[in-house]
Amino acid sequence: MDALIPEELRMLQSTVRQFVENEVLPLETEYQDELPPEIRDPLQARLRELGIWALSVPAEYGGADISTLGMTLVSEEIYKSMLSRNLIGGGVNPLLYNASDYLKEKYLHPVVRGEVKSAGAFSEPNAAGDLGGIETTAERDGDDYILNGTKVWIRGAHEADHVFVLARMKGTQRHIGTTWFIVDAGTPGFEVSRRIPMMGDTTLNELSFTDCVVPAAQRVTAEGGAWEAAQRSLNRARFLIGAEVLGMAERCQAMAMNYSKSRVTFGQPLAERQAVQFMLAESEIEMYATRAMVHEAARRVDLGEDLQREAGMIKVYSTEMAGRVIDRAMQIHGAAGYSKDLVIEQFYRAVRAVRIFEGPNEIHRWRLARNMLRD
Ligand SMILES: Cc1cc2nc3c(=O)[nH]c(=O)nc-3n(C[C@H](O)[C@H](O)[C@H](O)COP(=O)(O)OP(=O)(O)OC[C@H]3O[C@@H](n4cnc5c(N)ncnc54)[C@H](O)[C@@H]3O)c2cc1C
């Protein structure tokens, strides 16, 4: 147990752990990857009763206002089941904290209350990891902007009430001129043009904007102010990914430990074989290193440090660590691990995506080395 974790955060972590164990794990025999709305909604209501809602949102906006360290502990527990990973709601796009009162009233408060859903659309067919290359344009027209372009790989947009859209002011290049807007579902000229089935049994969306008229009051950042704002909010997401994949790895490691004690081959439990012991030990060491990195960085962020560099390192290390741990757990389970009888294959598919989103790991490595060499 980490003696540096305050008592109230330990209690929060334990509440979330019990919720996942008692209310979510039993559903894994019936559902895979995602819960249908009729099961998901009552569970979300239960989480709200427990105060596990809008966790990172400041108290002035009605959120739980917990620290980054608290968020990492909750994320670790929630990601022990693929079915609970999308349950915690009320999370606000941090861009709204610096937005106008009009946007706060229209979007921030209803999101915190759980009345509406958001999606975030920055990726495009010709630019996603390299956001300076986005081609969606915004052109001022009196009291409006006209948006044109295509977004792709957008999570949750098919059921979102509004979408944060990154566009560039017409005629600008690279990051100069990139600007965030909010577009409401149903706005003429905006449509979900394709549902894209993905490997992790989830579906992402392609969005198209054709002469889509967006009132100027829906602009979230200053014209050209998107780049700095996006970097700030993405860095926090990268810390949380470290905790999320740690939870995924911990679940699979626990399953591998149990299975290795009960599965007998050639007259001995797998747990007696050094080859299996080494796999378990390797995973434990890597999870320990990840936990130490994530917790230390979260504490420093809570003290006000800007850990952009560390956020990238944690994203790379933790996502690759989880891939290895889950892979070993599958190997220890043999064919059972590869089957849909067990959840390991769900984790195996899901963990593959996290090396790609929130910036592919190669881009983080490249940026880190470039900055190290420049400094
Ligand atoms: C499950 C999932 C959910 C997503 N959700 C969203 C969402 O909600 N909203 C949204 O806007 N986007 C979303 N995305 C998109 C995601 O942000 C992009 O896929 C990601 O940024 C990478 O962009 P890309 O796919 O165009 O890859 P590219 O940028 O084309 O890169 C392809 C590969 O090339 C290599 N590479 C690229 N640049 C470099 C470099 N400089 N140095 C070395 N190697 C490099 C990397 O290996 C990289 O994986 C999601 C993606 C996934 C998989």
Side-chain angles (χ1 to χ4, degrees):
M1 184 187 292
D2 185 341
L4 292 175
I5 297 175
E7 181 59 24
E8 71 272 15
L9 291 187
R10 262 190 228 151
M11 281 169 60
L12 175 69
Q13 185 179 23
S14 153
T15 307
V16 179
R17 184 177 298 156
Q18 281 169 30
F19 172 82
V20 173
E21 284 176 3
N22 299 336
E23 315 219 20
V24 181
L25 298 194
L27 297 168
E28 286 181 342
T29 48
E30 201 173 338
Y31 301 100
Q32 288 220 334
D33 296 295
E34 277 178 27
L35 289 169
E38 65 274 16
I39 305 288
R40 181 193 64 196
D41 294 350
L43 283 174
Q44 288 195 317
R46 177 84 188 107
L47 278 171
R48 294 188 72 170
E49 277 166 28
L50 292 169
I52 300 164
W53 194 263
L55 289 172
S56 63
V57 177
E60 61 177 304
Y61 301 124
D65 204 6
I66 69 164
S67 58
T68 310
L69 179 60
M71 285 299 296
T72 64
L73 298 173
V74 171
S75 301
E76 196 177 320
E77 296 306 322
I78 278 285
Y79 271 72
K80 287 184 179 165
S81 171
M82 288 293 89
L83 296 180
S84 42
R85 65 185 155 157
N86 296 325
L87 283 182
I88 293 189
V92 166
N93 185 323
L95 292 169
L96 282 174
Y97 298 139
N98 298 316
S100 64
D101 289 345
Y102 166 78
L103 292 179
K104 282 187 182 131
E105 200 54 46
K106 186 171 174 192
Y107 298 106
L108 192 157
H109 299 297
V111 167
V112 171
R113 292 195 294 266
E115 293 163 2
V116 299
K117 291 189 173 65
S118 307
F122 45 87
S123 302
E124 298 187 359
N126 290 329
D130 175 15
L131 287 179
I134 62 157
E135 294 166 352
T136 296
T137 55
E139 191 174 8
R140 185 86 193 215
D141 180 25
D143 289 340
D144 301 315
Y145 287 89
I146 316 286
L147 265 57
N148 278 291
T150 304
K151 295 288 174 184
V152 73
W153 317 125
I154 312 305
R155 195 193 294 271
H158 60 289
E159 56 171 12
D161 300 279
H162 58 268
V163 180
F164 287 76
V165 180
L166 184 65
R168 67 166 55 263
M169 301 314 300
K170 202 165 183 181
T172 61
Q173 299 292 321
R174 299 296 300 166
H175 301 302
I176 298 160
T178 55
T179 308
W180 283 101
F181 295 87
I182 302 181
V183 181
D184 291 323
T187 302
F190 162 44
E191 63 165 338
V192 175
S193 38
R194 189 161 77 99
R195 303 290 316 277
I196 313 165
M198 305 296 285
M199 174 172 161
D201 266 9
T202 146
T203 306
L204 300 179
N205 303 282
E206 182 185 89
L207 314 181
S208 70
F209 299 87
T210 312
D211 293 330
C212 176
V213 179
V214 179
Q218 301 282 120
R219 199 190 69 218
V220 187
T221 56
E223 288 185 7
W227 180 243
E228 199 202 327
Q231 288 302 302
R232 265 202 313 270
S233 55
L234 286 176
N235 282 335
R236 175 146 175 157
R238 280 167 198 150
F239 274 106
L240 292 185
I241 280 188
E244 290 164 6
V245 295
L246 181 59
M248 294 163 76
E250 283 170 351
R251 172 82 189 281
C252 293
Q253 168 82 338
M255 290 177 71
M257 299 260 289
N258 283 337
Y259 190 77
S260 70
K261 288 182 202 159
S262 62
R263 177 72 175 172
V264 175
T265 64
F266 303 94
Q268 270 189 26
L270 293 179
E272 299 293 322
R273 310 280 177 195
Q274 196 182 50
V276 173
Q277 291 172 351
F278 274 22
M279 282 199 264
L280 294 170
E282 209 63 57
S283 292
E284 203 64 18
I285 293 165
E286 294 189 52
M287 290 192 308
Y288 175 72
T290 305
R291 197 174 299 111
M293 283 169 108
V294 168
H295 286 193
E296 192 247 4
R299 288 192 181 97
R300 287 172 62 192
V301 167
D302 286 335
L303 290 172
E305 281 189 61
D306 174 15
L307 298 190
Q308 229 183 78
R309 178 182 147 108
E310 286 80 354
M313 292 197 281
I314 290 173
K315 198 274 176 179
V316 170
Y317 185 81
S318 64
T319 55
E320 294 174 9
M321 171 287 301
R324 290 189 293 271
V325 171
I326 295 168
D327 185 76
R328 288 184 199 116
M330 183 177 280
Q331 191 68 16
I332 289 171
H333 280 82
Y338 191 69
S339 78
K340 286 189 183 279
D341 285 351
L342 298 180
V343 290
I344 293 175
E345 67 84 30
Q346 291 176 42
F347 284 102
Y348 188 85
R349 285 183 282 115
V351 81
R352 186 62 188 83
V354 286
R355 280 166 49 202
I356 297 172
F357 63 66
E358 299 296 352
N361 287 6
E362 292 73 24
I363 296 187
H364 287 294
R365 284 193 165 88
W366 166 61
R367 285 212 178 107
L368 175 65
R370 195 183 53 178
N371 291 339
M372 283 158 50
L373 294 166
R374 193 168 52 202
D375 293 347

